[in-house]
Amino acid sequence: MAAGLGWKVILVTLGLFLEIAAEVIKLNITSNWKPEFGWEVICSWEMLPNDTLQSVRLQNNGQQFMIYRPEIHGASRAEIFRTPENVMNVDCTLTAMKGRRGKCVLSIEPYQPPTIDFTYTCEVSGERPKFMIERKDYVVKTLVPPSAAKLEYKAYEEVPPGRVMLNCTSSGLPAPSLQWTVADDKVQADFTGRLWNATSKLWHVWSFLAYTRSERSSTVTCTPEVHSHNELIKGAPAMYSSANAFGIQAIIAVPIVLMLHR
Ligand SMILES: *[C@@H]1O[C@H](CO)[C@@H](O)[C@H](O)[C@H]1NC(C)=O
Ligand SMILES: *[C@@H]1O[C@H](CO)[C@@H](O)[C@H](O)[C@H]1NC(C)=O
Ligand SMILES: *[C@@H]1O[C@H](CO)[C@@H](O)[C@H](O)[C@H]1NC(C)=O
Ligand SMILES: *[C@@H]1O[C@H](CO)[C@@H](O)[C@H](O)[C@H]1NC(C)=O
């Protein structure tokens, strides 16, 4: 009984301590994908009114690559870091007296297809006498969900009759795979291809299917998929229906993105 109570007291004390500690320096990291550019990661902080910013340290996968100290660098510091994979612009600025509020913006533009996730760490330290420290890790996932599938096709009325050539495309990161189904049956593509588009910074993929319509009309569906972090992420599928194949285009893009847990 007494031991149980003792634990409770320790846990409650610990809880209070954590609550107070969490209020000393508020730290946020966010990230977003900017089309045709790359990632923007923002670390922002807010300190107690009586504290002063001593330093901000930035790490990439555990390696410190930049330290910002207002005492040395002044009200802002901007640096450019180049690697064979990407170029990163870092811009740290203060938005309140004594650096009590401020942010570091990391703009990361890939030169090559990104393959791995990055963990960025932001550590903000206060001045004496407390030297408060707050740090946060943030994982930037190499993931841009597949775009809605697009279908191009040519239908031939001559010989052989009912022959349809379908070419399906999508883009994303990592490279999406394109799944074909004909009336709910999975079918293999005849050709597939992909290229990394240095403008969009995404993989552009295509898949070609030559298909002969049967007597009964059926629907051909192309669905972009990507496996990422134990999730199957699908882009909006595109459909071709042989019922209205001749004449106007029979392309229906269903505007949904399905997030399915495996
Ligand atoms: C952190 O994010 C929360 C919620 O989004 C916001 O209310 C708060 O102002 C942010 N703090 C800083 C220091 O940016
Ligand atoms: C700032 O004030 C808080 C109480 O509001 C106090 O706990 C803390 O020690 C002070 N920090 C500094 C650096 O003086
Ligand atoms: C399918 O489209 C892609 C462009 O998205 C093109 O490069 C490829 O040659 C096309 N395939 C066929 C067989 O037409
Ligand atoms: C690359 O992407 C841009 C849009 O970001 C597009 O205009 C261009 O046609 C694409 N190039 C290829 C080869 O797909």
Side-chain angles (χ1 to χ4, degrees):
M1 282 294 274
L5 191 66
W7 271 112
K8 227 179 223 173
V9 170
I10 289 168
L11 288 178
V12 167
T13 313
L14 196 64
L16 280 175
F17 172 73
L18 288 176
E19 217 164 273
I20 292 164
E23 274 181 9
V24 172
I25 300 176
K26 287 183 198 155
L27 192 57
N28 282 355
I29 308 184
T30 58
S31 132
N32 65 306
W33 171 258
K34 295 175 77 182
E36 297 189 7
F37 179 78
W39 288 277
E40 190 176 73
V41 180
I42 299 177
C43 166
S44 54
W45 63 87
E46 184 170 357
M47 310 176 84
L48 286 180
N50 57 355
D51 210 347
T52 301
L53 177 69
Q54 194 224 48
S55 65
V56 181
R57 288 161 204 270
L58 299 171
Q59 293 179 358
N60 178 358
N61 290 338
Q63 294 248 308
Q64 180 172 304
F65 62 91
M66 181 160 155
I67 176 163
Y68 169 45
R69 293 194 63 170
E71 199 181 77
I72 298 168
H73 305 107
S76 69
R77 180 177 190 193
E79 295 288 336
I80 299 175
F81 301 92
R82 288 175 206 278
T83 68
E85 291 81 36
N86 61 42
V87 58
M88 174 163 63
N89 280 272
V90 183
D91 199 348
C92 297
T93 49
L94 306 181
T95 53
M97 287 290 290
K98 304 200 170 188
R100 280 170 206 141
R101 275 198 306 275
K103 64 179 178 180
C104 290
V105 180
L106 288 64
S107 305
I108 304 149
E109 184 175 2
Y111 283 148
Q112 284 175 19
T115 51
I116 54 165
D117 295 342
F118 289 94
T119 304
Y120 290 100
T121 307
C122 186
E123 184 182 286
V124 174
S125 313
E127 271 293 359
R128 60 185 66 79
K130 299 269 173 169
F131 297 107
M132 295 296 183
I133 290 186
E134 182 66 26
R135 61 181 281 160
K136 261 186 192 166
D137 293 332
Y138 188 90
V139 178
V140 175
K141 287 185 189 174
T142 296
L143 173 67
V144 178
S147 66
K150 282 194 188 129
L151 266 185
E152 279 180 2
Y153 71 90
K154 270 188 195 151
Y156 297 91
E157 290 188 59
E158 302 88 29
V159 186
R163 194 82 172 144
V164 185
M165 311 287 191
L166 298 153
N167 194 2
C168 178
T169 61
S170 173
S171 46
L173 191 70
S177 63
L178 297 165
Q179 304 293 336
W180 289 102
T181 57
V182 176
D184 296 335
D185 293 324
K186 271 198 175 175
V187 292
Q188 287 292 315
D190 294 301
F191 304 104
T192 60
R194 65 179 202 177
L195 65 85
W196 192 65
N197 184 328
T199 306
S200 68
K201 317 282 194 229
L202 300 174
W203 285 99
H204 177 72
V205 297
W206 65 89
S207 180
F208 183 81
L209 181 71
Y211 147 81
T212 306
R213 293 199 318 277
S214 59
E215 290 303 306
R216 282 171 294 136
S217 67
S218 52
T219 302
V220 184
T221 308
C222 167
T223 310
E225 289 183 1
V226 78
H227 288 280
S228 171
H229 305 89
N230 292 326
E231 266 186 327
L232 176 63
I233 298 164
K234 297 190 180 198
M239 283 171 221
Y240 169 87
S241 172
S242 60
N244 48 0
F246 299 107
I248 46 164
Q249 293 217 323
I251 300 162
I252 308 154
V254 182
I256 47 161
V257 177
L258 297 169
M259 300 273 285
L260 297 180
H261 290 269
R262 286 165 85 189

